[in-house]
């Protein structure tokens, strides 16, 4: 197994992963760093449960070869709440507005939404739906997820 | 078990050197949304992956005399470019319908056409925008019109030791209005059942020039030349457009098949309906 | 179960899901995230054919692969039959009957190694003719899917020996008495539940061969029953089984049976003496997970001149696939809409389940009701048209009413059907739109579903235990499964309300059979109803214990306080208090963490914190210390279905109506939903925001069922095993849903609540089909209603 050493910023910390070159960012997060928030829902970039933010952009970590993460900045769901435990407005909104039911899609859903709000603090419903089009959810019918993102956007203002 | 070397050269010269060094053992990877999926689904991988993702020099959208798009421009960049949206609308339509935001953030337009799926969402738009594809290899640079780029399903003229560098669209396409329709069962995360791209130029009510491209209608993305010939010089009327649609859907222009995603007869119906609709949309956009 | 408090503090409020904060911070542990020390990873080798003899299996290369710890085939484990009809074994020895058939299994130290080992196993097959259509399979001379039954007796037909036949009244006479009759054939196909978390479990044995199964099952005790039976046949009789739920990534019916992969994990764990995890990838989830039961219905209904229903006659054929799981029991639920949706005096329903070499089905949200309601509600519209009566009016004429006793013997208590139909009419502007638009149309359909438990097993019980520590924390040990619907929040609201504490004081454990009492299962939309009633019972007992403790402790506390004051301040005069106010537990109450006398809730001395009572009751120093712990096992006074398929199996029933306005693009056949009204009678909304989540989510799944979703099966093979090609809807497929909540408080429900998990998706498909008919005069009777089907019908009409 050809291994690589990849140095990058993970949730604000400088880290180094020594893993097989064939590993994806998702596998590295879940198995090397034991950050299991990002999930494998399909493994082929279709469901979005593995979504994390890399250099400000939402990506499917299941398709991201770990060598590509060298020198980059990655944020996962675990990096969202403050050190003192206070929740990001998105996390808070999802709990208040029933944007989370079984929760499997939630990490990816919130990270996609965060990438949106960081770039566009005042999104329309269309913007939100386009943003989460690649995040599948079977529980909610998406309505309360969209409402949660809208609530978080208002909160942020 | 799958094992490969993952190399990340800094510039094009290095890339070409690595391709030469490793020959058939190496495959290029850009955004990874095609290559990584293929590796996972086939359980096979090349011995060496040469990543061009870091070649920032090949990531640009510029307008000089012509439009120049670097091969590593992501679909997201195309989607968010005001220039592309207003002046090369079909390309905006196509790029913004690829996968999801997560996919578009990393997947490149070069990768989209090099993968050469008959359904590639940027292929139809590029065909109707008279795109020219630039490649570079050990023997130097060359270019071909996009109409000659696709040779067969998943195959192009790009050689194994070459890299796609740029897609150029002639400046005069500014005077065309264009549109692309991706027909799919749901509004996101689908491969198209059928893709229709149209670009046209109007002189008064008369269509002075037109291009029509179809995807998932033949082994490669194709231009519907017979339908274009018919439409040139005709007015932008329902009668003319409907007839053009019929010609485009016929065996004169495409070879429709039944497949998992759709049946041939339905694809023909969609072509007949959407050639007129996209022509009208293209005309609307032109008048802006 | 009435609550006599002036108004509720928590029940009926939209309390946020703070209790589930782990889900938004990435901390929640799903089966995917769970690891046990020394754990191995299991993978399954599936059949390459729909029907074939297994000539040989060569596992030698797989066994030699480094990192592999076990390779099992059918020859390595006892050939024990499992499943509802005991018609399959865990690993197939001689014959494969479907592509999903499990032929071998591997356990290895890493999942990639297990996958590679699977690829190294060589199986030699001899193909056999397969049958893929239930109507073909019913015929004489069809290839037989099974040769012998569970007892080894030869089988001569592919028709399953299941007793699904219901008959009430005189159909023939009713036909003669009918002024109008309509007949339709409708069909539904396989759809996947699409849980975002795929199937998986970890099996782990202790030194003495007692099993712990970490599993997403919704029937933790049902699992134990089935595994116990399995154990008794593989030399593990008497061994203890513990089932523990991790956080569950969605269920939608997938977790109600004990599946083959679970037995395989158990066998691999037994062989390797290590914990073994099996986790499906998404492709496997589409190919190897039993989906929703398909069905073909021929249905006939009649009514008199006034539009009153005279009879309903229906025969259904179910493609049972190659083995039997809960799909084959869906007729026991189909009988509910067949016999009891709307008032109909004469009913005949017969369902025939047929073996084929296709995939077999299990439960999915609605459990046969969506399929049967598609038939009934299509027929209601066609009959209304025959009779020249508006379909909404037709439904109102025949609506169920409170107090009805249906042909199936269901006792209708609370019933909001009239309000639901009326609300839908109003919100759709029905009278202005029906039959009056071109290319746009309105349609509706209603539902009946169990909403107060469902006695499908002899016990429909649900147990709950609660205990308090002396800091006021309440531990609730729930015996159901939290599948994401919001149970922790709702139950903490109910417990807080009933006990007099706050929701944030409640800490819940779900799904652990070592701790929980017993539950029939989190299915049939029963959880809130059952757990809520159990909670109210347990809280009443716990409250009693607390108040008995209070009666003893409060005078001591108060007098002790006065003594201390007197010591500090000799001038202090003890007030004259009527200790009679707090002399009896019945005279006290608890609210918002405070204990107080009912007759004087703001008494300056007699209102004390609950924690103080608890601490004083525990730390007494006299050998008389007490803890507070109570349980309630709630098994409602309902009936099982008898051999005639009759019985009041639930305490109450949910009603609802879905109304849709659609636009149809006649050039492309595409249907666009302009508005969807989802009206439900829920008894009482426990938590309005959570309730809406169930309505939205179910309605959305229903739209997928109606328009886009289908598992494409060709000659037994699943052709679209990915999200790319399986058309589950995305956030961009907007459906404007307007929910309507009707609250006819139900006496049987906790605070008046009825179940609501499934109703949302039951009537969506026929409502859409009816609306399409109104829009373009084309009735599609075969789900999903695809553009291709509409376009084909439009073209045929032109000809």
């Amino acid at each position: 197994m050809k291994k690589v050493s990849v140095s990058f910023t993970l949730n604000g910390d400088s880290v180094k992963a020594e893993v097989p070159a064939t590993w994806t960012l998702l596998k590295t997060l879940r198995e090397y760093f034991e950050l299991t928030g990002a999930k494998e829902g399909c493994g082929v970039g279709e469901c979005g449960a593995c979504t994390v933010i890399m250099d400000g952009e939402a990506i499917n970590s299941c398709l991201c070869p770990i060598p590509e993460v060298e020198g980059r900045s990655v944020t996962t769901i675990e990096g969202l709440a403050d050190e003192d435990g206070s929740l990001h407005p998105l996390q808070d909104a999802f709990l208040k507005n029933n944007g989370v039911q079984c929760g499997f899609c939630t990490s990816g859903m919130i990270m996609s939404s965060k990438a949106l709000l960081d770039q566009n603090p005042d999104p329309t419903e269309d913007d939100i739906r386009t943003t989460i089009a690649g995040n599948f959810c079977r529980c909610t019918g998406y309505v309360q997820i969209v409402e949660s993102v809208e609530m978080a956007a208002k909160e942020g203002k | 078990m799958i094992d490969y070397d993952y190399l990340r050269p800094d510039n094009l010269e290095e890339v070409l050197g690595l391709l030469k060094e490793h020959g058939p053992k190496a495959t290029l990877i850009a955004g990874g949304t095609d290559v990584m999926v293929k590796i996972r689904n086939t359980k096979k991988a090349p011995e060496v992956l040469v990543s061009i993702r870091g070649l920032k020099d090949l990531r640009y959208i510029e307008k000089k005399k012509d439009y120049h798009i670097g091969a590593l421009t992501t679909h997201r960049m195309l989607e968010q470019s005001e220039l592309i949206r207003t002046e090369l609308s079909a390309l905006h339509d196509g790029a913004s319908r690829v996968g999801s935001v997560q996919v578009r953030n990393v997947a490149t337009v070069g990768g989209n056409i090099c993968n050469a799926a008959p359904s590639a969402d940027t292929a139809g738009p590029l065909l109707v925008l008279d795109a020219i594809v630039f490649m570079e290899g050990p023997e130097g640079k060359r270019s071909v019109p996009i109409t000659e780029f696709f040779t067969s399903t998943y195959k192009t003229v790009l050689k194994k030791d070459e890299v796609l560098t740029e897609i150029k669209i002639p400046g005069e396409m500014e005077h065309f209005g264009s549109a692309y329709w991706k027909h799919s069962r749901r509004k996101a995360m689908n491969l198209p059942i059928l893709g229709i791209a149209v670009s046209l130029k109007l002189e008064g009510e008369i269509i002075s020039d037109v291009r029509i491209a179809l995807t998932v209608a033949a082994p490669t993305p194709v231009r519907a030349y017979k339908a274009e010939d018919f439409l040139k010089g005709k007015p932008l009327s329902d009668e003319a457009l409907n007839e053009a649609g019929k010609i485009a859907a016929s065996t004169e222009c495409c070879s429709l098949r039944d497949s998992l995603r759709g049946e041939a007869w339905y694809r023909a119906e969609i072509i007949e309906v959407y050639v007129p609709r996209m022509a009208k949309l293209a005309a609307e956009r032109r008048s802006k | 179960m009435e609550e006599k408090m002036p108004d509720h503090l928590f029940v009926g409020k939209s309390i946020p899901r703070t209790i589930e904060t782990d889900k938004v911070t990435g901390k929640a542990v799903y089966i995917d995230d769970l690891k046990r020390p020394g754990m191995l990873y299991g993978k399954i080798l599936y059949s390459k054919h729909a029907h074939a003899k297994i000539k040989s299996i060569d596992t030698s290369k797989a066994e030699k692969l480094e990192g592999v710890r076990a390779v099992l085939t059918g020859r390595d484990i006892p050939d024990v039959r499992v499943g509802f009809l005991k018609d399959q074994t865990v690993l197939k020895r001689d014959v494969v009957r479907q592509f999903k058939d499990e032929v071998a299994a591997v356990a290895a130290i890493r999942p990639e190694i297990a996958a590679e080992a699977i690829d190294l196993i060589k199986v030699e097959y001899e193909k056999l003719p397969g049958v893929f259509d239930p109507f073909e399979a019913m015929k004489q001379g069809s290839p037989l899917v099974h040769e012998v039954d569970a007892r080894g007796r030869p089988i001569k037909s592919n028709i399953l020996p299941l007793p699904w036949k219901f008959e009430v009244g005189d159909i023939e006479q009713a036909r003669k008495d009918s002024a109008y009759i309509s007949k339709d054939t409708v069909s539904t196909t396989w759809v996947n539940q699409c849980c975002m978390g795929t199937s998986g479990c970890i099996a782990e044995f202790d030194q003495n061969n007692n099993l712990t199964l970490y599993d997403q099952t919704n029937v933790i005790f049902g699992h134990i029953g089935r595994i116990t039976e399995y154990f008794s046949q593989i030399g593990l009789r008497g061994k203890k089984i513990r089932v523990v739920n991790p956080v569950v990534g969605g269920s939608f019916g997938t977790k109600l049976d004990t599946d083959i992969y679970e037995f395989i994990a158990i066998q691999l764990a037994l062989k390797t003496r290590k914990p073994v995890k099996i986790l499906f990838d998404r492709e496997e989830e589409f190919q190897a997970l039993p989906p929703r039961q398909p069905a073909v219905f021929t249905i006939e209904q009649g009514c008199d001149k006034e539009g009153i229903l005279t009879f309903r006659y229906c025969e259904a054929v179910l493609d049972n696939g190659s083995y039997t799981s809960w799909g084959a029991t869906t007729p026991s639920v189909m009988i509910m809409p067949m016999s009891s949706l709307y008032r109909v005096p004469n009913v005949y329903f017969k369902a025939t389940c047929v073996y084929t070499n296709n995939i077999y089905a299990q439960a999915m949200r609605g459990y046969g009701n969506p399929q049967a309601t598609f038939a009934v509600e299509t027929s209601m519209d066609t009959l209304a048209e025959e009779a020249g009566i508006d379909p909404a009016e037709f439904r109102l004429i025949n609506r169920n009413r409170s107090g009805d006793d249906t042909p199936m013997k269901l006792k209708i208590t609370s019933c909001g059907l009239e309000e639901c139909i009326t609300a839908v009419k109003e919100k759709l502007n029905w009278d202005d739109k029906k039959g009056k638009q071109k290319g746009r149309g309105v349609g509706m359909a209603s539902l009946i579903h169990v909403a107060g438990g469902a006695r499908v097993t002899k016990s429909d019980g649900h147990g709950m235990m609660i205990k308090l520590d002396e800091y006021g924390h309440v531990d609730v040990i729930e015996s159901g499964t939290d599948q994401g619907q919001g149970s922790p929040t709702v139950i903490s609201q109910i417990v807080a309300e009933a006990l007099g504490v706050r929701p944030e004081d409640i800490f819940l454990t779900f799904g652990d059979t070592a701790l929980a009492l017993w539950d029939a299962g989190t299915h049939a939309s029963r959880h809130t109803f059952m757990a809520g009633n159990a909670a109210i019972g347990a809280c009443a007992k716990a409250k009693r214990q607390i108040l008995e403790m209070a009666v003893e402790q409060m005078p001591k506390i108060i007098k002790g306080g006065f003594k201390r004051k007197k010591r500090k301040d000799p001038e202090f005069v003890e007030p004259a208090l009527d200790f009679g106010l707090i002399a009896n537990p019945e005279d006290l109450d608890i609210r918002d963490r405070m204990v107080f006398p009912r007759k004087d809730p703001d008494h300056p001395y007699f209102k004390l914190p609950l924690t103080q009572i608890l601490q004083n009751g525990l730390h007494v120093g006299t050998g008389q210390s007490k803890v507070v712990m109570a349980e309630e096992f709630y098994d409602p006074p309902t009936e099982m279905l008898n051999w005639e398929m009759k019985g009041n199996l639930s305490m109450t029933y949910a009603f609802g109506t879905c109304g849709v306005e659609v636009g149809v693009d006649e050039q492309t056949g595409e249907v666009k939903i302009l508005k969807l009204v989802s009206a439900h009678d829920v008894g009482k909304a426990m938590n309005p925001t959570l309730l809406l989540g169930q309505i939205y989510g179910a309605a959305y799944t229903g739209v997928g069922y109606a328009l886009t979703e289908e598992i494409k099966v060709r000659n037994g093979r699943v052709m679209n095993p990915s999200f790319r090609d399986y058309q589950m809807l995305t956030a961009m497929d907007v459906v404007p849903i307007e929910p309507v909540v009707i609250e006819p408080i139900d006496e049987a429900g906790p605070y008046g609540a009825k179940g609501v998990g499934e109703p949302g998706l039951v009537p969506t498909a026929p409502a859409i089909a009816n609306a399409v008919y109104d829009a373009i005069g084309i009735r599609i009777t075969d789900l999903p209603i695809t553009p291709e089907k509409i376009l084909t019908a439009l073209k045929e009409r032109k000809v």
Side-chain angles (χ1 to χ4, degrees), chain B residues 116-221:
Chain B
S119 56
D121 285 309
T122 58
L126 290 173
L127 278 168
V128 302
L129 293 171
D130 284 355
I132 300 156
V133 173
F134 288 80
M135 297 160 279
E136 193 168 329
E139 277 126 55
K141 302 183 190 180
R142 66 185 182 113
S143 67
V144 297
I146 187 115
T147 46
E148 289 164 36
F149 184 69
F150 305 107
T151 56
S152 174
T153 309
Y154 298 111
K155 290 191 171 52
T156 69
V157 299
L158 188 73
K159 300 204 196 99
K160 277 236 81 177
D161 56 6
E162 285 180 314
V163 176
L164 197 88
T165 54
E166 181 181 281
I167 299 167
K168 184 174 88 170
I169 292 169
E172 61 247 31
M173 297 319 291
E174 187 183 353
H175 304 295
F176 282 66
S178 64
Y180 166 72
W181 177 254
K182 173 177 185 166
H183 199 76
S184 58
R185 185 65 71 233
R186 60 181 182 218
K187 297 220 169 49
M189 300 309 296
N190 259 173
L191 292 182
I193 297 169
L194 215 310
I196 294 129
V198 178
S199 69
L200 49 74
K201 221 160 68 156
L202 288 170
E203 253 147 57
E205 273 301 301
I206 302 295
I207 300 169
S208 55
D209 205 356
V210 62
R211 316 262 184 281
I212 299 172
L214 304 170
T215 38
V216 205
T220 69

Side-chain angles (χ1 to χ4, degrees), chain C residues 184-324:
Chain C
D184 297 280
T185 300
V186 309
S187 67
T188 69
T189 188
W190 298 278
V191 293
N192 189 287
Q193 297 83 345
C194 292
C195 303
M196 289 316 295
T198 59
S199 308
C201 70
I202 300 174
E204 181 173 352
F205 283 95
D206 71 8
Q207 246 348 85
N208 299 315
N209 278 342
N210 298 305
L211 171 71
T212 299
L213 189 68
Y214 300 92
D215 193 293
Q216 300 180 88
T217 177
N218 281 28
V219 280
I220 54 180
F221 291 96
H223 248 30
I224 289 183
R226 286 182 282 274
I227 300 171
T228 299
E229 197 186 338
Y230 183 66
F231 271 14
S232 68
Q233 295 174 79
I234 62 168
L236 292 179
R237 186 183 294 277
K239 293 300 171 184
K240 178 123 170 66
I241 299 156
R242 176 184 181 192
V243 176
V244 184
N245 286 155
V247 178
V248 177
S251 293
F252 309 115
T254 55
K255 279 122 185 142
L256 299 183
D257 197 357
T258 306
D259 284 315
I260 298 299
Y261 76 86
E262 289 160 310
F263 289 113
I264 290 176
I266 289 170
Q267 283 292 352
L268 287 171
L270 205 51
K271 179 82 197 277
T272 59
R273 310 302 316 170
K274 296 268 190 212
V276 174
K277 176 192 274 195
I278 290 185
L279 186 67
F280 278 15
D281 62 31
R282 183 58 58 183
E283 205 179 319
E284 221 170 342
E285 189 83 351
F286 276 112
Q287 288 172 319
L289 182 76
R292 187 192 282 289
Q293 177 64 54
V296 180
F297 300 89
T298 312
I299 182 165
E300 202 183 332
Q301 287 196 104
C303 67
D304 66 16
K305 279 208 303 287
E306 271 75 57
I308 297 179
L309 288 173
T310 48
F311 78 95
R312 186 179 289 157
Y313 178 97
C314 180
E315 292 190 37
V317 172
L318 276 58
D319 182 334
N320 192 68
S322 37
Y323 305 105
T324 313

Side-chain angles (χ1 to χ4, degrees), chain C residues 466-486:
Chain C
I466 62 174
K467 67 180 181 73
L468 279 81
D469 67 13
E470 72 266 40
Y471 307 106
H473 299 127
V474 183
D475 279 303
V476 173
I477 294 145
E478 237 290 290
S479 50
T481 293
D482 172 19
Q483 46 176 322
Q485 68 275 53

Side-chain angles (χ1 to χ4, degrees), chain B residues 1 186-187 261 269 277, chain C residues 116 667 723 728 795:
Chain B
M1 259 206 310
R186 60 181 182 218
K187 297 220 169 49
R261 267 163 231 116
E269 294 283 329
R277 288 187 188 182
Chain C
E116 198 182 334
Q667 289 190 306
F723 277 131
M728 179 184 133
K795 290 168 108 192

